Amino acid sequence: FPETGASFALGDTFGVVESVKAASDLFMPIDAEVLEINEDVDSEPELLNQDPYEKGWLLKIRLTEPSQLESLLKADAYSQLI
């Protein structure tokens, strides 16, 4: 995970998720500053699959370019995509 206070631009890599079969980069979806990281996911990575919307969050961020939110998919559009 990145350090608290780190800044990232849209598309920057901020971490890696590893599994038995592969490693995948995590990309920042917008320009943002990291406010908090979820240390629990580091010690219990299964939280990502078990409870992604509550206990399995990765970062709390502060937007630095709020207009970029308009380019993100809404939950229902993302569900249709995958």
Side-chain angles (χ1 to χ4, degrees), residues 53 73-82:
Y53 296 106
L73 292 174
K74 304 290 186 250
D76 59 335
Y78 181 74
S79 292
Q80 290 177 1
L81 180 67
I82 58 169

Side-chain angles (χ1 to χ4, degrees), residues 1-15:
F1 283 122
E3 296 290 323
T4 301
S7 294
F8 293 90
L10 184 150
D12 285 352
T13 302
F14 69 87

Side-chain angles (χ1 to χ4, degrees), residues 29-69:
I30 55 176
D31 295 351
E33 174 190 355
V34 177
L35 299 178
E36 187 176 344
I37 61 170
N38 186 355
E39 297 285 348
D40 293 339
V41 171
D42 198 30
S43 60
E44 299 177 68
E46 63 274 9
L47 290 173
L48 288 172
N49 292 326
Q50 293 173 350
D51 196 6
Y53 296 106
E54 295 295 327
K55 296 179 182 176
W57 59 273
L58 298 175
L59 306 174
K60 291 185 181 182
I61 59 173
R62 175 181 298 129
L63 309 176
T64 55
E65 188 54 56
S67 65
Q68 292 174 334
L69 288 176

